């Protein structure tokens, strides 16, 4: 089959590789019909995530049709149309039993490695380095889905691929980001980053009761999308002082909830952002965190900071004192995708009313064979290019 | 802890005492090292299933290299009601390699106990054990992988078994390998399942030498036992062991050309 393989910093190639095979009784093989490139894939593309191996197949946002089943999968049939959560979960451990699927104890074959780094290991992820299990990803024609009986969700025929694809990751990620922000009716929510995760976080903030959403980025097209589709007020951080403006916009109190949809490759031009860039270049710190610092500093007393943006290592100049003295609640982590799918499938279908159609974020489409070009465009042209869908 | 003059004095006393013990054990260790090294050098001459007792290797069951003297009977507090200074403990407790590890398994205690209690299940999660066969009331025969494609065999017996609480075993004299181990089972509150604590001790005479020799073979016994216990949990909770072995990928060389 054709698959997109990783060969180092900004070097990804579409190659002919062996087809995937069933390795365990709970596996399934899926023929992929649609797959997307995620902001998280850019961290791999830029060599920010350790333990990648040459030839690793990327991709964790994919859906398709079941073509082969292991002997213990009884709740799926050949031909079922399914979306696959990007977190791999066993369904039977302490964490899965509590719906903390992205913290599954049993899916990462390299859990011992992750434990050395983090004390405990989270779940495995598709196509996201050997630290997270080394599973082959789905930017390919076929993929092996482990624990398919809990890790493949049938979707109704009435949903197109475009409508269903983002259930794999970014729609539930936006939803959980809003849930983690403890939003109360009437709240003002500030969202850093207007990438796909930011866009769906804005929408989810309203679902959770927000009165106002203020979205922050520096890319005009993304801010535009946040205004038109997201009904958010927007701030361009290159044009205004974000902290002062948020303070004014909230009558001097600060946003009730602040959500960092940027993660470890945060940009910025203030002294702290430049300092971060120098430090990461010098390998003195691993993650850049300008947006996170701002979110913590901006948040009102007693408010919540939710962090769906990915961090991997050590943070420098993290304003923990501000978080402490303002009595903030911080919540973060990989998304427990499985937990939200039934609810989100309903939201997309709409139950009588028009459903929420997440496909508006798609700006670019490529055949899988052009995936390297797609990565390059997504990386270099964040203005026009918001979400890329690949078709095998 | 209150610090009195008395306790400081006794602290220095015990320091001196342990120094004496250390010196004594060092000699043992040296003796052991030569035996073990000899065994290592002689290993090439061993044939599959050949003379046992020369060399045992890093085995999931927590094994030990045994000297040729046959003095290495080991017992400690594992499953036996003795203290660290028990007369049964030929080798001081601080010697040898002791591995202790706990995991919690989200399954009822009866199920967890039953699975371990059936020794023939053990090779399903102990990576380097080839087979375990029941040979008597509480006895079993073990075959394990050894380096250089060899196999080692030994017999073991369960000397303490309390249903849903404890299983303790030891290897029997005459085999290639000696070890003492126990696993304790405890029910956790609120449907959390069962915690199991595995205690393994091996190599009474060699001290840390065992690990050093295992290192020569590229194995780390403690992390193998760790992995086996993790597998045990995974087999019970997920019904299978997660793996990416044998999965597809692109060539592992950057020379691979684009389509
Ligand atoms: N928690 C999860 O399970 C999960 C799932 C998916 C993605 N993610 C993470 O969410 C983050 C966003 O994903 P995405 O796909 O939207 O990525 P993206 O790269 O498309 O979007 C990030 C946006 O942040 C903006 N930005 C950069 N610095 C900023 C700053 N200082 N202030 C405000 N905005 C700034 C960028 O201009 C960009 O528009 C990434 O870190 C990704 O890894 C997490
Ligand atoms: Zn993603
Ligand atoms: Zn699990």
């Amino acid at each position: 089959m054709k698959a997109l393989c990783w060969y180092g910093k900004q070097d990804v190639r579409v190659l002919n590789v062996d087809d995937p095979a069933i390795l365990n009784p709970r596996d399934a093989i899926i023929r992929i019909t649609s797959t997307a490139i995620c902001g998280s894939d850019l961290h791999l593309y830029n060599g920010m995530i350790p333990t990648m191996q040459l030839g690793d197949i990327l991709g964790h946002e994919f859906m398709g049709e079941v073509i082969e089943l292991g002997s213990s999968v009884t709740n799926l049939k050949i031909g079922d149309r399914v979306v696959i959560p990007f977190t791999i979960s066993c369904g039977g451990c302490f964490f899965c039993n509590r719906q903390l699927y992205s913290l599954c104890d049993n899916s990462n074959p390299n859990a011992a490695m992750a434990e050395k780094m983090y004390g405990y290991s989270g779940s495995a992820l598709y196509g996201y380095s050997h630290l997270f299990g080394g599973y082959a990803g789905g930017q390919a024609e076929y993929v092996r889905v482990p624990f398919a009986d809990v890790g493949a969700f049938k979707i109704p025929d009435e949903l197109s691929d475009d409508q269903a694809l983002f259930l794999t990751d970014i729609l539930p990620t936006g939803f959980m980001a809003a849930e983690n922000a403890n939003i109360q009716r009437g709240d003002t929510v500030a969202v850093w980053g207007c990438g796909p995760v930011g866009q769906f976080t804005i929408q989810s903030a309203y679902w959770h009761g927000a009165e106002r959403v203020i979205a922050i980025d520096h890319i005009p097209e993304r801010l535009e999308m946040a205004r038109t589709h997201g009904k958010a007020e927007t701030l361009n951080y290159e044009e205004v002082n974000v902290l002062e403006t948020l303070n004014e916009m909230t009558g001097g109190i600060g946003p009730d909830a602040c959500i960092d949809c940027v993660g470890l490759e945060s940009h910025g031009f203030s002294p702290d952002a430049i300092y971060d860039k120098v430090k990461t270049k010098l390998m003195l710190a691993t993650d850049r965190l300008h947006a996170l610092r701002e979110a913590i500093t901006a948040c009102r007393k007693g408010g919540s900071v939710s962090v769906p943006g990915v961090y991997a290592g050590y943070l420098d100049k993290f304003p923990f004192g501000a978080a402490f003295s303002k009595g903030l609640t911080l919540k973060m982590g990989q998304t427990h995708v499985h937990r939200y799918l039934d609810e989100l499938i309903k939201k997309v279908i709409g139950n009588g009313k028009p459903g929420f159609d997440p496909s508006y974020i798609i700006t670019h489409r490529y055949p899988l064979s052009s995936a390297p070009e797609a990565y390059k465009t997504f990386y270099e042209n964040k203005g026009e290019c918001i979400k890329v869908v690949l078709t095998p | 802890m209150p610090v009195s003059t008395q306790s400081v004095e006794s602290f220095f006393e015990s320091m001196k005492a342990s120094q004496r013990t250390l010196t004594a054990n060092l000699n043992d260790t040296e003796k052991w090292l030569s035996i073990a090294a000899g065994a290592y050098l002689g290993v090439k001459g061993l044939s599959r299933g050949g003379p046992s007792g020369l060399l045992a290797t890093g085995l999931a069951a927590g094994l030990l290299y045994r000297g040729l003297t046959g003095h290495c009977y080991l017992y400690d507090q594992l499953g036996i009601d003795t203290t660290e200074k028990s007369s049964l403990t030929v080798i001081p407790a601080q010697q040898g390699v002791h591995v202790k590890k706990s995991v919690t398994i989200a399954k009822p205690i009866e199920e967890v106990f039953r699975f371990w209690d059936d020794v023939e299940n053990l090779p399903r999660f102990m990576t380097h054990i080839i087979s375990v066969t029941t040979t008597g009331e509480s006895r079993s025969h073990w075959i394990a992988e050894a380096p250089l494609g060899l196999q080692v065999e030994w017999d073991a017996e369960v000397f303490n078994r309390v249903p849903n609480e404890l299983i303790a075993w030891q290897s029997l004299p005459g085999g290639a390998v000696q070890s003492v181990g126990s696993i304790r089972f405890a029910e956790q509150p609120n449907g959390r399942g069962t915690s199991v604590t595995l205690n393994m001790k091996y190599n009474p005479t060699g001290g840390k030498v065992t690990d050093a020799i295992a290192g020569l073979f590229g194995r780390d016994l403690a992390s193998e036992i760790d992995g086996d216990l993790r597998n045990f949990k995974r087999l019970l909770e997920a019904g299978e062991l997660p793996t990416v072995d044998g999965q597809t990928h692109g060539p592992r060389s950057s020379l691979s050309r684009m389509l």
Side-chain angles (χ1 to χ4, degrees):
Chain A
M1 66 164 182
K2 271 189 242 147
L4 182 85
C5 305
W6 181 92
Y7 282 95
K9 197 171 173 186
Q10 291 169 20
D11 181 359
V12 290
R13 310 173 193 179
V14 176
L15 298 173
N16 264 324
V17 303
D18 290 341
D19 285 354
I22 300 269
L23 301 177
N24 260 336
R26 294 177 63 189
D27 287 356
I29 306 292
I30 309 293
R31 182 181 65 81
I32 290 159
T33 54
S34 291
T35 173
I37 306 179
C38 177
S40 305
D41 292 330
L42 288 186
H43 306 323
L44 300 170
Y45 189 66
N46 289 327
M48 301 285 283
I49 309 286
T51 72
M52 287 296 291
Q53 286 179 18
L54 300 182
D56 283 350
I57 300 172
L58 301 188
H60 60 267
E61 299 183 1
F62 54 89
M63 60 179 294
E65 183 194 333
V66 176
I67 60 159
E68 200 182 339
L69 289 169
S71 55
S72 346
V73 187
T74 54
N75 60 344
L76 296 172
K77 297 187 309 296
I78 306 296
D80 279 347
R81 244 179 111 221
V82 289
V83 292
I84 312 296
F86 77 100
T87 49
I88 303 174
S89 313
C90 79
C93 67
F94 175 95
F95 301 94
C96 288
N97 289 341
R98 280 158 187 74
Q99 295 201 311
L100 303 169
Y101 294 101
S102 75
L103 303 175
C104 174
D105 255 349
N106 295 329
S107 58
N108 187 351
N110 300 326
M113 197 198 292
E115 281 168 6
K116 285 209 181 80
M117 209 162 150
Y118 295 134
Y120 297 91
S121 171
S123 79
L125 311 173
Y126 289 98
Y128 216 75
S129 85
H130 291 262
L131 185 63
F132 296 108
Y135 288 93
Q139 286 162 3
E141 290 180 285
Y142 301 94
V143 70
R144 165 187 168 237
V145 172
F147 306 120
D149 51 331
V150 299
F153 283 71
K154 283 189 247 188
I155 43 159
D157 288 338
E158 58 192 289
L159 293 188
S160 66
D161 271 26
D162 286 356
Q163 289 172 310
L165 180 58
F166 305 128
L167 292 164
T168 57
D169 177 351
I170 49 177
L171 183 53
T173 294
F175 195 81
M176 183 165 120
E179 184 180 276
N180 281 348
N182 302 316
I183 298 167
Q184 308 296 309
R185 198 148 289 285
D187 275 0
T188 296
V189 178
V191 175
W192 276 256
C194 297
V197 169
Q199 301 292 341
F200 291 152
T201 300
I202 294 166
Q203 175 58 50
S204 302
Y206 289 118
W207 283 336
H208 282 83
E211 179 73 24
R212 286 172 82 188
V213 178
I214 303 168
I216 303 142
D217 204 305
H218 70 133
I219 300 173
E221 291 88 339
R222 293 180 176 219
L223 290 168
E224 170 72 19
M225 186 180 271
R227 275 194 300 274
T228 52
H229 286 275
K231 308 271 178 287
E233 299 159 65
T234 57
L235 300 181
N236 184 330
Y237 66 78
E238 285 178 20
E239 292 169 0
V240 299
N241 179 315
V242 173
L243 290 175
E244 279 172 14
T245 314
L246 284 175
N247 179 272
E248 275 162 31
M249 290 173 82
T250 54
I253 189 172
D256 303 288
C258 291
I259 308 181
D260 170 5
C261 299
V262 179
L264 54 72
E265 290 191 73
S266 185
H267 305 220
F269 304 98
S270 61
D272 71 311
I274 291 159
Y275 172 87
D276 282 346
K277 193 152 187 173
V278 171
K279 273 213 136 178
T280 30
K281 279 254 153 48
L282 295 174
M283 309 297 249
L284 296 171
T286 53
D287 298 356
R288 278 179 252 152
L289 69 156
H290 181 67
L292 181 58
R293 280 193 200 110
E294 226 167 48
I296 286 173
T297 314
C299 195
R300 77 148 161 83
K301 291 186 284 182
S304 291
V305 174
S306 157
V307 188
V310 164
Y311 292 86
Y314 294 93
L315 302 187
D316 188 37
K317 301 272 185 297
F318 180 76
F320 205 78
F324 179 85
S325 59
K326 292 196 289 179
L328 299 186
T329 300
L330 268 64
K331 218 161 171 200
M332 63 201 85
Q334 299 282 2
T335 307
H336 309 304
V337 178
H338 307 56
R339 189 208 284 182
Y340 303 102
L341 281 187
D342 287 343
E343 183 174 354
L344 287 172
I345 288 173
K346 281 193 201 125
K347 285 219 186 301
V348 176
I349 296 173
N351 295 333
K353 286 177 272 167
F356 172 72
D357 185 350
S359 63
Y360 68 85
I361 62 163
I362 302 172
T363 52
H364 288 64
R365 293 175 195 277
Y366 292 86
L368 175 65
S369 52
S370 307
E373 189 192 333
Y375 267 83
K376 198 164 165 0
T377 308
F378 186 42
Y379 174 60
E380 288 175 355
N381 187 1
K382 285 212 168 175
E384 279 162 32
C385 189
I386 297 178
K387 193 70 181 177
V388 183
V389 173
L390 305 170
T391 321
Chain B
M1 212 209 283
V3 180
S4 66
T5 339
Q6 182 58 49
S7 72
V8 171
E9 268 163 24
S10 60
F11 173 70
F12 279 112
E13 269 313 302
S14 64
M15 280 282 284
K16 273 187 228 150
S18 71
Q19 236 151 26
R20 277 195 298 276
T21 325
L22 267 177
T23 322
N25 289 335
L26 208 65
N27 294 335
D28 286 351
T29 304
E30 277 168 356
K31 210 154 65 197
W32 166 254
L33 182 57
S34 53
I35 295 167
Y40 170 60
L41 294 172
V43 77
K44 291 191 178 90
L46 280 179
S47 60
R48 189 173 279 253
S52 57
L54 279 176
L55 177 69
T57 61
L59 300 169
L63 308 176
L64 56 104
Y65 293 87
R66 181 187 178 200
L68 296 169
T69 57
H71 280 148
C72 43
Y73 309 121
L74 54 93
Y75 292 93
D76 64 3
Q77 76 275 34
L78 311 169
I80 324 172
D81 184 21
T82 63
T83 66
E84 297 223 317
K85 285 186 189 133
S86 158
S87 56
L88 285 171
T89 313
V90 175
I91 301 307
Q94 69 269 28
Q95 293 293 300
V97 179
H98 181 191
V99 180
K100 189 176 178 189
K101 169 91 182 165
S102 293
V103 293
T104 296
I105 301 170
K107 289 285 175 189
I109 196 164
E110 296 77 16
E111 187 180 338
V112 178
F113 182 85
R114 208 182 315 125
F115 197 85
W116 191 289
D117 196 35
D118 180 354
V119 290
E120 306 201 355
N121 275 333
L122 303 182
R124 292 175 62 189
F125 60 89
M126 294 182 169
T127 333
H128 296 284
I129 302 294
I130 296 166
S131 70
V132 184
T133 324
T134 308
T135 50
E137 176 72 17
S138 57
R139 295 195 169 197
S140 50
H141 184 70
W142 294 60
I143 304 178
E145 284 172 14
L148 309 171
L150 301 173
Q151 292 187 354
V152 288
E153 307 189 15
W154 69 97
D155 289 294
E157 98 180 321
V158 169
F159 63 86
N160 196 356
R161 179 182 176 280
V162 185
N164 302 330
E165 227 174 83
L166 169 81
I167 301 172
W169 64 91
Q170 64 189 342
S171 53
L172 296 172
V177 150
Q178 283 195 331
S179 70
V180 174
S182 75
I183 182 160
R184 287 181 186 277
F185 303 80
E187 199 163 351
Q188 296 300 307
N190 282 327
R192 283 165 178 250
T194 307
S195 68
V196 306
T197 302
L198 181 69
N199 250 300
M200 296 286 319
K201 187 149 187 196
Y202 49 90
N203 184 25
T205 52
K208 303 287 178 203
V209 174
T210 307
D211 262 0
I213 303 273
L216 289 177
F217 296 114
R219 283 184 179 176
D220 166 2
L221 302 183
S223 70
E224 273 180 18
I225 290 169
D226 220 75
D228 288 349
L229 204 55
R230 190 194 304 279
N231 287 348
F232 176 54
K233 167 185 161 71
R234 289 178 162 183
L235 209 50
L236 280 161
E237 289 181 345
E240 60 187 36
L241 301 180
T243 185
V244 295
D245 287 348
Q247 91 177 347
T248 183
H249 54 75
R252 296 297 193 199
S253 139
S254 63
L255 298 176
S256 62
R257 260 179 300 125
M258 294 241 213
L259 275 186

